[in-house]
Amino acid sequence: MTEEDLLYFKDFFLSYVEKFRSNDETIQKNIMLKKHHTLRVLENISIISKNLQLDENSDLLAKTIAIFHDIGRFYQFEKYKTFSDAQSENHAELGIKVLESAEVLSRLSKEEKTIILKAVQYHNMFKIPSNEESKYILFCKLIRDADKIDIYKVLTDYYGELDLDLNPAIEHNLPNIEHYSPIIIDDILNSRNSNSKLLRTRYDMRLLTLTWIFDINYKISIDLIKNRDFINKTLKVLPTNEDMTKVKVALYSYMENF
Ligand SMILES: [Fe+2]
């Protein structure tokens, strides 16, 4: 693919998002949230790709994946008013439908198109399917890191706001009660990802985001997470107790040893 193709995809994305412009303040706010998220994921993936010294074609493919990874989010929010896949539909599958029905990738080779669709499809899975071919796995890893780094930014910016009920969609409308599931603490202390079916409260969701560290693929991504202080900013909106002290020690030692 070429730089010109990338510009075409970026234009397609921006005009696609425009179609969702709404007079409803909640819808408009969340559409813009995902638009800006996408543009920052594009910046993140560019940093990672440069750090890994990817060849030009791979770099352009990675950037295209970033632009399209959440294209299903706009229809999802318009229709269901939530970003929770469990409460609506899988937004990655929705995204693939959007890309296929618009035939936007038809200017690329069959192989390039497959790389992009697989990366979009796998970007939000608990794990990349272990039987997938290695030539596709690189791109899945890139988008998963770039995406998580920006979700940390969106969430921790939100935690910094005075009123955490300004946009409850960000935390999937989970109840704001002072309880968390011990199993997620256990997962963190054992360097394991947690399964999102466990989510009951906002504390669970915040702890779950901390387990994403164990799914980060590249040192540069760990460095970005560390430098932007996302872990401490998340711990600030969790209780102060012995569990959380252990969680902090476990996460920092994991990052140090990465
Ligand atoms: Fe996504």
Side-chain angles (χ1 to χ4, degrees), residues 83-128:
F83 291 130
S84 164
D85 287 2
Q87 292 161 31
S88 61
E89 276 185 76
N90 182 337
H91 72 277
E93 301 292 341
L94 283 174
I96 286 168
K97 283 185 202 159
V98 172
L99 295 174
E100 289 199 319
S101 73
E103 293 179 12
V104 59
L105 301 175
S106 62
R107 56 198 287 140
L108 299 182
S109 72
K110 197 169 165 227
E111 178 68 353
E112 289 169 333
K113 194 176 154 193
T114 306
I115 287 172
I116 293 165
L117 293 178
K118 279 187 190 278
V120 172
Q121 188 190 354
Y122 298 156
H123 90 271
N124 65 336
M125 281 185 178
F126 185 57
K127 287 273 175 236
I128 301 169

Side-chain angles (χ1 to χ4, degrees), residues 171-179 199-203:
E171 292 195 283
H172 294 184
N173 301 298
L174 285 163
N176 196 10
I177 52 172
E178 308 223 331
H179 177 270
L199 293 182
R200 297 282 180 274
T201 69
R202 291 191 199 185
Y203 282 173

Side-chain angles (χ1 to χ4, degrees), residues 34 37 69-71 73 85 91-92 120 123-124 147 151:
K34 287 298 174 188
H37 161 68
H69 81 286
D70 262 355
I71 192 106
R73 284 298 195 188
D85 287 2
H91 72 277
V120 172
H123 90 271
N124 65 336
D147 191 23
I151 302 174

Side-chain angles (χ1 to χ4, degrees), residues 73 83-86 124-127 144 148 151-152 155-156 159 170-172 174 179-189 191-216 225 230-231 234-235 237-239 244 247 251:
R73 284 298 195 188
F83 291 130
S84 164
D85 287 2
N124 65 336
M125 281 185 178
F126 185 57
K127 287 273 175 236
R144 288 167 71 97
K148 287 188 182 80
I151 302 174
Y152 277 136
L155 289 170
T156 55
Y159 303 150
I170 291 182
E171 292 195 283
H172 294 184
L174 285 163
H179 177 270
Y180 56 89
S181 308
I183 189 161
I184 311 182
I185 302 287
D186 202 56
D187 285 336
I188 296 176
L189 301 185
S191 309
R192 274 196 305 256
N193 277 116
S194 268
N195 196 323
S196 60
K197 286 188 203 95
L198 301 167
L199 293 182
R200 297 282 180 274
T201 69
R202 291 191 199 185
Y203 282 173
D204 283 348
M205 166 112 187
R206 292 167 193 169
L207 286 166
L208 178 98
T209 67
L210 294 178
T211 73
W212 294 346
I213 289 286
F214 309 124
D215 196 38
I216 291 288
I225 290 168
F230 295 141
I231 304 301
T234 304
L235 286 165
V237 287
L238 281 160
M244 300 306 158
V247 159
L251 291 170

